[in-house]
Amino acid sequence: MPQPRKQFAQHWLRSDKALSRIVSAAELSATDRVLEIGPGTGILTRQLLPLAQAVVAVEIDRDLCATLAQKLGKVENFLLLQGDFLAIDLTTLLETATAFQNPNKVVANIPYNITGPILEKLLGTIAAPSPQPFDLIVLLVQKEVALRLCSKPGSRHFGALSVRVQYLAHCEFICDVPAKAFHPPPNVDSAVIRLRPRPVITPAISPRHLETIVKLGFASKRKMLRNNLKSLVESDRLTQLLEQLNVNPQVRAEDLSVEQWIALSNELQNDG
Ligand code: SAH
């Protein structure tokens, strides 16, 4: 097994149980084209290849790429791209690789140090959602992040990230993965999550405004929402709006559902 490199957040998954949970959560069929980020030694890749039509994997580490190319280079439905997933333009790179274009699913044990940017690249943002959303995204992430993505309003894990991602995708917690399932074990526990990007049912009138109030609203988690939004809207007006939305004016940001955030943003927009 290659020596894991810290700089690329390399932790090799070595649990068959975790692997099979990831693979089954991906609900693969023979027409799926899968994108994998950070194949590493190819332990997950090997499980994906027989179940999907095609797998395209992006790996930053040149040495790992060389080994992977040796091991899996002859497999017809596999394409390996060497590069930084955050920096590459997948569509351009796949221009001549017809069989691998427009992957519809993502399945990956990602490098935890770039989880936020990876999510943004896969989903887009509230103001600029991905124009070609994936059908399904299964990721192994830090448990703390999994809880934030999958929690409901009122939970202590519900934060700005929850609202931003849940605006764009339905998020499910699939299972826990203990640190000892990796070599070397990371300092944190992990979890498998599944995201299903979906069209926003009631889109915000101004997605940018929604982004702004979510950011401001969660700025200080212990404060009441109306204090966090003080710079944007007068306390009395906010109280009135919250009552209109059947929300206790004393609420904290973490108590509002995504729909309530949208409604609040839209009402504030109507104020002009
Ligand atoms: N999927 C493998 C490895 C997971 S570790 C397994 O389950 O065992 C994370 C992997 O992501 C490593 O192989 C690391 O080299 C790769 N990686 C780190 N940063 C990356 C980036 N910016 N773009 C693509 N791959 C990256």
Side-chain angles (χ1 to χ4, degrees):
M1 212 186 284
Q3 192 63 29
R5 290 187 168 141
K6 243 197 177 140
Q7 113 207 59
F8 295 137
Q10 293 175 349
H11 297 274
W12 312 139
L13 188 60
R14 52 170 201 175
S15 150
D16 289 335
K17 195 171 148 206
L19 273 170
S20 75
R21 293 302 294 271
I22 295 173
V23 174
S24 71
E27 302 173 343
L28 291 173
S29 77
T31 54
D32 283 327
R33 277 151 292 123
V34 176
L35 165 66
E36 186 187 0
I37 304 155
T41 60
I43 188 161
L44 175 60
T45 323
R46 257 179 240 278
Q47 306 242 346
L48 300 173
L49 282 166
L51 299 174
Q53 188 185 90
V55 176
V56 51
V58 183
E59 172 57 61
I60 200 168
D61 184 324
R62 279 174 203 279
D63 297 335
L64 283 179
C65 280
T67 319
L68 262 183
Q70 246 170 30
K71 285 197 275 193
L72 296 175
K74 289 214 174 71
V75 179
E76 251 179 51
N77 63 339
F78 180 56
L79 179 69
L80 178 62
L81 302 173
Q82 194 264 315
D84 176 354
F85 173 69
L86 297 178
I88 60 164
D89 176 7
L90 202 59
T91 313
T92 310
L93 285 176
L94 295 178
E95 232 155 33
T96 53
T98 335
F100 298 91
Q101 280 164 2
N102 305 319
N104 65 317
K105 290 186 179 175
V106 179
V107 186
N109 168 15
I110 59 173
Y112 294 174
N113 56 338
I114 52 169
T115 303
I118 287 178
L119 285 172
E120 194 168 318
K121 184 146 179 171
L122 296 177
L123 297 169
T125 60
I126 291 179
S130 163
Q132 276 181 303
F134 292 99
D135 294 335
L136 179 156
I137 301 170
V138 175
L139 300 177
L140 185 51
V141 296
Q142 214 172 308
K143 183 168 179 182
E144 168 61 32
V145 175
L147 291 173
R148 278 158 68 192
L149 294 177
C150 303
S151 65
K152 300 224 155 61
S155 150
R156 71 189 167 89
H157 299 291
F158 195 75
L161 182 71
S162 325
V163 179
R164 291 206 305 265
V165 172
Q166 290 178 19
Y167 183 88
L168 299 166
H170 175 71
C171 304
E172 287 168 273
F173 190 99
I174 302 291
C175 65
D176 282 293
V177 178
K180 65 173 197 290
F182 300 86
H183 171 75
N187 293 327
V188 290
D189 280 328
S190 300
V192 180
I193 56 167
R194 175 165 59 201
L195 312 181
R196 294 182 200 269
R198 53 175 154 78
V200 183
I201 304 149
T202 46
I205 296 172
S206 164
R208 268 193 203 293
H209 180 267
L210 177 60
E211 272 181 351
T212 308
I213 62 165
V214 168
K215 191 170 171 204
L216 273 178
F218 281 100
S220 171
K221 270 202 105 175
R222 271 175 305 162
K223 282 194 195 159
M224 279 187 278
L225 180 64
R226 56 165 200 242
N227 289 334
N228 277 335
L229 293 184
K230 225 191 248 162
S231 61
L232 215 67
V233 46
E234 271 185 32
S235 194
D236 285 353
R237 176 65 186 136
L238 193 61
T239 301
Q240 200 182 10
L241 281 176
L242 291 171
E243 276 170 354
Q244 210 173 306
L245 298 172
N246 283 325
V247 175
N248 179 342
Q250 317 264 354
V251 280
R252 289 169 213 286
E254 71 209 50
D255 296 320
L256 286 193
S257 68
V258 176
E259 290 72 26
Q260 286 169 328
W261 276 107
I262 298 169
L264 180 63
S265 167
N266 288 351
E267 288 296 331
L268 285 168
Q269 282 291 296
N270 287 336
D271 279 1

